[in-house]
């Protein structure tokens, strides 16, 4: 079972250190028992289900590296944010939420999500609307609305042991806010919200997983990466550029990576968010295919 225990909270390490396509899960054992983000290890999750028991599955957001083993919980109700829930109701919705419009890309993604991630359309049984407090019987969870990474992203603060599950504001530091409804300013606001939570232990779904020290510097580094991307983009726009030029500049991923299609898509989506933000501020303008500085 999990390597670390914090009172009623158990850390379930993901395979390959919780790196994509896996993530670390969190098990909370009150009178009602919850598993958060079941994409860690199928055997351990099945053992929890069949051993101490699981009453409900919660998702921080709709991404596939957080729901890979959701399919083993057919009887347990699913709870997630009302904003993200439609993404899991059909493959078409899922691809729409990612902002994938090209038909060839949609077919390729569909194949991966169906076969590797075993996607099964699913309607959530319980919807979290905003911040709320859930009494599990003997342990209390604050459900925190932390939009930005996805529009309905949730984080979870287990009050009594002071454990905060930070979701995909995961300190790697690789902020991602490229989906259709993702948002840079909301990402920044959510990080500021999370750093104010009076936690004693911080759980990240990816990589290291458990942090016991104050995260001040790591939060700063996370926010700095966002600012550096924007600064580099502004430098690059010293002369007018097309989106093709911007993707080739590799401001996000730094170098060409395989599969190129996937990384180019990520690069484009992330840069689109920065461009929209800069256009909104009147710093950048678009003329035909070209983006350029307004002054
Ligand atoms: Zn994610």
């Amino acid at each position: 079972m999990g390597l670390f225990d914090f009172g009623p909270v158990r850390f379930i390490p993901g395979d390959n250190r919780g790196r994509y396509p896996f993530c670390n899960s969190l098990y909370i054992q009150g009178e009602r028992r919850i598993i958060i983000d079941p994409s860690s290890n199928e055997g351990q999750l099945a053992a929890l289900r069949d051993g101490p028991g699981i009453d409900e599955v919660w998702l921080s957001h709709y991404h596939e590296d957080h729901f890979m083993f959701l399919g083993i919980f057919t009887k347990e109700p699913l709870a997630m944010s009302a904003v993200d829930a439609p993404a899991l109701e059909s493959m078409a919705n899922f691809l729409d939420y990612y902002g994938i419009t090209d038909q060839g890309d949609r077919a390729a993604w569909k194949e991966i999500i169906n076969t590797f991630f075993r996607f099964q359309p699913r309607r959530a049984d319980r919807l979290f609307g905003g911040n709320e407090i859930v009494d599990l019987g003997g342990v209390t969870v604050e459900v925190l609305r932390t939009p930005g990474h996805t529009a309905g992203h949730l984080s979870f603060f287990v009050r009594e042991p002071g454990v905060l599950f930070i979701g995909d504001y995961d300190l790697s530091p690789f902020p991602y806010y490229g989906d259709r409804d993702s948002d840079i300013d909301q990402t920044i606001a959510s990080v500021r919200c999370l750093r104010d939570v009076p936690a004693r232990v911080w759980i990240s779904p990816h990589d290291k997983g458990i942090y016991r020290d104050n995260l001040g510097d790591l939060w700063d580094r996370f926010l700095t990466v966002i600012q550096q991307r924007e600064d580099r983009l502004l430098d690059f726009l010293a002369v007018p550029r097309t989106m093709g030029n911007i993707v080739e500049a590799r401001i996000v991923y730094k170098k060409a990576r395989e599969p190129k299609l996937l990384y180019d898509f990520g690069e484009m989506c992330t840069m689109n968010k920065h461009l929209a933000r800069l256009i909104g501020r009147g710093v950048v303008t678009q003329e035909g295919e070209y983006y350029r500085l307004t002054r």
Side-chain angles (χ1 to χ4, degrees), residues 79-95:
M80 63 190 296
S81 79
V83 174
D84 274 12
L88 296 191
E89 291 177 7
S90 72
M91 178 61 73
N93 282 8
F94 182 81
L95 298 172

Side-chain angles (χ1 to χ4, degrees), residues 60-66 98 149-150 153 168 176 206:
S60 60
H61 62 299
Y62 58 77
H63 284 163
E64 67 279 5
D65 53 324
H66 294 253
Y98 259 97
H149 178 71
T150 66
H153 186 283
D168 265 354
Y176 193 80
H206 297 294

Side-chain angles (χ1 to χ4, degrees), residues 128-134 142-147 153-155 193:
F128 294 120
N131 293 337
E132 57 187 277
I133 294 168
V134 181
E142 288 183 35
V143 179
L144 304 171
R145 233 178 88 61
T146 44
H153 186 283
L154 301 174
S155 305
C193 159

